[in-house]
Amino acid sequence: MPCPPPGMVCQAKIAAQERPGGPARKEPWREPPAPPPAAPPTPAPDALAIRPFQPAQRQAARRIFYEGILERVPNTAFRGLKDQPAAQLAYGAITVICFVVTKSLLLTCCLPIFLMGMRYYFSRKVILSYLERALNTDMSDIEQYYMKSPGSCFWVAMLNGNVVGIVAARGNEEDNTLELRRMSVDSKYRGKGIAKALGRKVLEFAVINNYSSVVLGTTAVKVAAHKLYESLGFKHVGVVEHYTLPGMTHSLLERVFFQLRYHRYCLQLREE
């Protein structure tokens, strides 16, 4: 097919570029709309801080200590029974004797409930007595007992402006050891590594003050508490069966329904 003349090609291109209704009109320039203002950044929560105790924090520190110890009542009464074979045997014998004497199946079935109720009653009674003594001794004058005593200290864990944990350290010059004491974390803030941070602060204090070892004793029944001490490097060095807690009366019923194990831990920092 023969090619069209050049003039015809140019005319076709021009016609194709023209829009219906005449030449294209340019829109006037307009300033683009301003972007919406950015939302203010959400302030990040305060980081956990371990700080020396201040007098204004006394009430919060006492509350955390009180609530932490009171939580041990059901643990001591019920969970602690699994580590007390002698008590288990005694309660089993009492149940059997009850059935032999009364021949009542209903009474025999109700007896274990009564025994557990007695364990709870005496656990609460003894632990409340211990709490009263503690709150009237070192926990009543933290500044004098820890902050002003050479080689000792008391710290609080601060999170979002709140006291969420406590720990104390008490030095012993005779054997150059530091005792970790009164560690407790508010139940609403557990699982955040606060207890471990408190423990590390005590170890740091021990190193700075040239203590040879850090020791602690606990009657805690929960496995988590013992795992915490082990994760900090403490070694289990012994257990005292039938430990006498301050405030015990040593009555017959108390000895039958309240037994406590005292675990001792030690972390050797250097040889003497």
Side-chain angles (χ1 to χ4, degrees):
M1 180 179 179
C3 294
M8 186 178 295
V9 175
C10 292
Q11 289 177 6
K13 289 182 177 180
I14 293 171
Q17 292 173 358
E18 291 182 356
R19 296 182 180 178
R25 298 175 59 187
K26 293 183 178 181
E27 294 292 333
W29 180 84
R30 295 178 181 176
E31 185 177 356
T42 303
D46 296 341
L48 177 69
I50 310 298
R51 300 173 181 168
F53 170 82
Q54 298 294 329
Q57 299 161 341
R58 180 183 295 103
Q59 184 175 355
R62 285 165 58 91
R63 175 188 61 80
I64 291 173
F65 170 73
Y66 180 89
E67 293 175 355
I69 296 297
L70 201 60
E71 286 179 2
R72 297 188 182 185
V73 172
N75 291 327
T76 302
F78 306 132
R79 288 188 182 182
L81 184 59
K82 66 181 178 61
D83 297 320
Q84 298 162 5
Q88 295 177 28
L89 183 63
Y91 298 158
I94 292 172
T95 304
V96 171
I97 293 171
C98 174
F99 180 73
V100 171
V101 172
T102 64
K103 306 295 184 183
S104 171
L105 186 60
L106 177 62
L107 185 61
T108 304
C109 291
C110 291
L111 183 59
I113 300 175
F114 170 77
L115 294 174
M116 291 301 100
M118 292 295 286
R119 282 185 64 90
Y120 182 86
Y121 169 79
F122 279 99
S123 294
R124 182 176 176 83
K125 176 177 177 293
V126 172
I127 289 175
L128 282 176
S129 178
Y130 164 75
L131 273 171
E132 183 179 359
R133 286 171 176 261
L135 291 172
N136 288 324
T137 53
D138 62 304
M139 292 302 293
S140 70
D141 195 353
I142 296 173
E143 300 97 318
Q144 184 64 37
Y145 200 85
Y146 294 107
M147 305 306 292
K148 296 179 181 179
S149 179
S152 302
C153 197
F154 194 103
W155 296 270
V156 296
M158 301 293 298
L159 187 65
N160 298 330
N162 299 314
V163 177
V164 298
I166 59 171
V167 72
R170 182 78 171 173
N172 187 344
E173 295 182 357
E174 293 182 3
D175 55 5
N176 197 31
T177 61
L178 184 71
E179 182 184 6
L180 186 153
R181 313 186 72 210
R182 307 309 192 202
M183 180 187 285
S184 186
V185 175
D186 192 317
S187 59
K188 299 187 292 295
Y189 296 91
R190 290 175 188 166
K192 301 179 182 294
I194 296 173
K196 182 170 285 190
L198 288 166
R200 286 173 175 166
K201 176 59 71 173
V202 174
L203 301 185
E204 177 187 324
F205 180 81
V207 171
I208 292 174
N209 288 273
N210 296 316
Y211 283 105
S212 60
S213 61
V214 182
V215 298
L216 67 89
T218 180
T219 58
V221 176
K222 286 185 176 180
V223 176
H226 297 273
K227 287 186 175 180
L228 168 65
Y229 303 136
E230 292 171 359
S231 70
L232 289 168
F234 285 90
K235 303 296 182 184
H236 189 267
V237 294
V239 59
V240 178
E241 302 286 352
H242 303 291
Y243 177 70
T244 300
L245 196 68
M248 292 181 66
T249 61
H250 303 286
S251 66
L252 177 60
L253 287 177
E254 191 176 87
R255 289 197 298 269
V256 171
F257 293 110
F258 182 81
Q259 298 89 27
L260 207 57
R261 304 178 86 202
Y262 183 78
H263 299 266
R264 295 185 292 113
Y265 285 87
C266 178
L267 173 57
Q268 197 74 29
L269 298 176
R270 59 185 176 83
E271 296 294 336
E272 284 293 292

